[in-house]
Amino acid sequence: MKKLNLFKGLIVIAMFVFFGNNIMAQGAYVNVNVGYALCMGATTFEDFYNYTGGENSATIEQVYLSLGKGFNFGGTIGYMFNDNVGAELGLSYLMGGKTEAKDQYTDGSDTYTLSSNMFRFIPSIVVRAGDESVTPYAKFGAVIGTGSVMFEYEENYDGDVGMMKTKMNGGIAFGINGALGVLFELGDNLDFFAEINAISMSYAPTKGEVTEATYNGTDLLPNFTTYERETEFVKEYTYNYETPPSDTEPSQELKHALPFGSFGINVGVAIDL
């Protein structure tokens, strides 16, 4: 929590330091935007695939995923140093879409679902082709994010249904961002824009916690020990067979870098200050 508060503080300081002297200058602007992104740089995970079993055969299908897909919305504050070059600071919230894998058997099924959300801080350099009624532009920069990943598991056998949800968060994600777009002048101080945006990023959560566990509607979570409910994701750990971990401490697992690459379209309006 302290690290997250420090991260938010640094964002606020950076905004005031970078834009404080120019926020009401002629080249300053703000915008709001919304968009949708598809997977880019999708990858695979062990045991995350579609399986369909029959009496004499089985079909296995690979599932590719990136947790960066989904709806996003946010805003940007920027400043053009001249007609061609500027800088901006964007804040974006990702509501990630769900990716599902399923095992199907003659007497039931297992369903696995991954989804995400992320708050992203995006500082960028902007290059415009002049200052006209229709202005192409490009921008590139970094992406810094913090968020969470939700893993859901459901089993359904002969009418018996079990379900478990695990939330993974902690840590900060880093990546790069690029976009190509066009500004359309709507008025003296108002523009509409549309852009193609690409993000390359990965995120490795540092902790996980089971937030829900039921069987045929009965809540099982109160019976979970700390070891069963909480997980720490680390680069390395040692398991002592003679002295097993305590039930009152979180379990440990190796940290995994999850893909958050995306490719999509953003649209919005910009207001010159």
Side-chain angles (χ1 to χ4, degrees), residues 115-241:
S115 60
S116 67
N117 61 68
M118 180 170 284
F119 178 80
R120 299 178 294 195
F121 164 61
I122 309 175
S124 301
I125 299 297
V126 182
V127 180
R128 292 183 183 177
D131 187 13
E132 306 293 339
S133 58
V134 178
T135 305
Y137 67 87
K139 58 185 178 181
F140 56 92
V143 184
I144 305 169
T146 181
S148 62
V149 175
M150 183 66 70
F151 175 73
E152 302 177 38
Y153 168 72
E154 181 178 302
E155 62 175 15
N156 191 326
Y157 286 90
D158 293 330
D160 293 322
V161 179
M163 186 270 294
M164 182 180 295
K165 295 183 179 180
T166 302
K167 181 179 181 179
M168 296 173 283
N169 57 7
I172 297 175
F174 296 94
I176 56 176
N177 168 73
L180 294 174
V182 180
L183 279 167
F184 301 91
E185 184 178 337
L186 300 179
D188 290 340
N189 298 309
L190 182 65
D191 298 306
F192 170 81
F193 67 90
E195 66 181 33
I196 298 173
N197 175 272
I199 292 177
S200 177
M201 183 172 65
S202 63
Y203 172 50
T206 60
K207 59 183 178 179
E209 182 176 359
V210 178
T211 60
E212 191 173 342
T214 63
Y215 188 75
N216 288 337
T218 301
D219 187 6
L220 304 179
L221 200 57
N223 299 322
F224 280 32
T225 65
T226 301
Y227 185 84
E228 294 170 329
R229 189 178 63 253
E230 299 179 14
T231 303
E232 294 179 347
F233 297 109
V234 296
K235 292 183 178 180
E236 179 183 355
Y237 69 93
T238 300
Y239 187 91
N240 191 320
Y241 293 99

Side-chain angles (χ1 to χ4, degrees), residues 241-269:
Y241 293 99
E242 295 182 354
T243 309
S246 170
D247 287 341
T248 61
E249 297 178 356
S251 62
Q252 289 188 323
E253 293 184 13
L254 292 178
K255 184 182 293 186
H256 295 282
L258 305 174
F260 268 76
S262 65
F263 180 83
I265 297 176
N266 286 343
V267 297
V269 292

